[in-house]
Amino acid sequence: LLVVRIIPHLLLSVIIQQQHQLLQIDWVSCYPFFDLCDHQSQLHIVWEAGNEYIRFRFGAKGTKRGQPICNNYGPKGNQELLFTYGFALEKNPFDSVEGIVFGCQCKESRLKDARIRILEDSNVPYQLKENGTVLMMGPFALCRQQETIEEDSSDDKEESHVATTTTKLSAHHVVPDELYHGLSVLGMENADDGPAITPEDIDALVEQFQHRIVKLQGKMEAKDCDGVVWKEEFCKRYRQGEILLLQMAIDEVKSILQE
């Protein structure tokens, strides 16, 4: 049972909950053979459980004869898919780039205190390093941010209007708003002034993204994922997904200077 993905997670949860005296597990079951189904991102699936059965349904319109039956492991990027399940998808919409950290020198104590106060009020993570002279902000993750779209589904023949709201992943917005806000806080030049993003900080952030792209490209050329061909291909997909997000982030932050 330990090779079933959910079991180690449940065992760990039991240990943690026992330590805090919050043990509460309703039920868990294993569904033979369905673990062999390939993962398809954003596929709509439904698991239904009754007194004597478990039913699995996938796809809003079902599938055609001869087509594969797929499962959906959830909104997981290639980093989690590769290191947890052993494979990666091409152009995974849930990819992310972790560990984005940005900082500045803080030698003037009054300005440093003002910056920290604004970061704390906005719940932006930060750290002080080098005896409090360097203010580091982050870590952040680059990923496709969710955007809300309102659609008017009213009928021209009717006077009433029906508005529907849907949420989807943005095709262009990958930099989290917290990073923008923290960047503007670091751009403050006076404790009495409000946050302001400076061109110098934008350039430094772009340089950081470009540096990570170079490192990822170097690893792809070195082929450090030695082994069978499919393993190298999955590692390549994982790095390509990160490079794509970093390039999107560069274009996004550069557009700030053009506005």
Side-chain angles (χ1 to χ4, degrees):
L1 287 178
L2 289 177
V3 298
V4 181
R5 289 187 294 269
I6 191 62
I7 300 302
H9 171 73
L10 287 176
L11 291 177
L12 181 60
S13 298
V14 168
I15 295 174
I16 295 175
Q17 292 176 18
Q18 282 179 335
Q19 292 174 348
H20 294 83
Q21 297 180 349
L22 297 173
L23 182 59
Q24 182 178 358
I25 293 182
D26 294 330
W27 61 274
V28 64
S29 64
C30 297
Y31 206 165
F33 304 113
F34 272 81
D35 203 41
L36 301 175
C37 295
D38 288 339
H39 166 65
Q40 182 176 334
S41 179
Q42 296 179 293
L43 176 69
H44 177 71
I45 64 170
V46 177
W47 289 92
E48 297 177 345
N51 295 329
E52 298 179 355
Y53 69 87
I54 297 177
R55 183 165 60 183
F56 170 80
R57 296 190 299 168
F58 74 102
K61 298 181 180 180
T63 187
K64 297 180 180 180
R65 178 178 296 181
Q67 295 297 313
I69 296 176
C70 295
N71 197 352
N72 185 350
Y73 299 169
K76 304 180 186 298
N78 277 341
Q79 181 179 22
E80 184 174 358
L81 290 177
L82 181 60
F83 294 104
T84 303
Y85 302 97
F87 69 91
L89 303 176
E90 288 187 293
K91 299 180 179 179
N92 190 335
F94 297 104
D95 272 339
S96 64
V97 178
E98 308 289 338
I100 302 298
V101 178
F102 195 76
C104 68
Q105 296 286 335
C106 284
K107 297 181 180 179
E108 203 275 303
S109 60
R110 187 165 172 264
L111 176 58
K112 178 178 67 176
D113 293 341
R115 285 171 169 167
I116 290 176
R117 183 174 62 254
I118 297 175
L119 291 174
E120 290 179 343
D121 290 343
S122 304
N123 295 320
V124 177
Y126 73 90
Q127 282 186 332
L128 285 171
K129 293 189 175 182
E130 298 184 17
N131 296 323
T133 61
V134 177
L135 177 59
M136 304 299 297
M137 179 186 64
F140 300 98
L142 304 178
C143 60
R144 288 172 175 82
Q145 305 297 309
Q146 290 188 349
E147 60 181 17
T148 302
I149 300 176
E150 293 187 358
E151 299 176 348
D152 190 352
S153 57
S154 60
D155 192 339
D156 293 338
K157 298 179 181 180
E158 300 179 357
E159 295 182 357
S160 60
H161 293 271
V162 179
T164 59
T165 301
T166 58
T167 301
K168 71 174 185 177
L169 297 177
S170 172
H172 306 286
H173 183 24
V174 299
V175 180
D177 294 335
E178 293 82 3
L179 177 54
Y180 281 128
H181 185 76
L183 191 67
S184 64
V185 170
L186 297 187
M188 293 172 61
E189 296 181 355
N190 191 298
D192 297 324
D193 295 336
I197 296 180
T198 65
E200 292 76 17
D201 285 338
I202 289 292
D203 291 340
L205 189 61
V206 168
E207 184 178 351
Q208 182 181 146
F209 293 159
Q210 291 172 336
H211 180 68
R212 292 191 66 157
I213 289 176
V214 171
K215 290 182 64 177
L216 287 166
Q217 290 174 335
K219 290 181 179 180
M220 291 173 64
E221 293 174 0
K223 294 184 178 180
D224 59 336
C225 286
D226 294 330
V228 293
V229 176
W230 59 264
K231 183 177 179 181
E232 292 181 359
E233 180 62 27
F234 290 153
C235 291
K236 184 177 180 181
R237 291 179 184 178
Y238 160 62
R239 294 190 177 108
Q240 285 176 333
E242 289 204 328
I243 290 174
L244 176 60
L245 282 173
L246 287 164
Q247 290 173 335
M248 292 172 63
I250 290 173
D251 293 338
E252 184 178 335
V253 296
K254 279 185 175 180
S255 67
I256 297 176
L257 299 178
Q258 299 172 358
E259 295 178 353

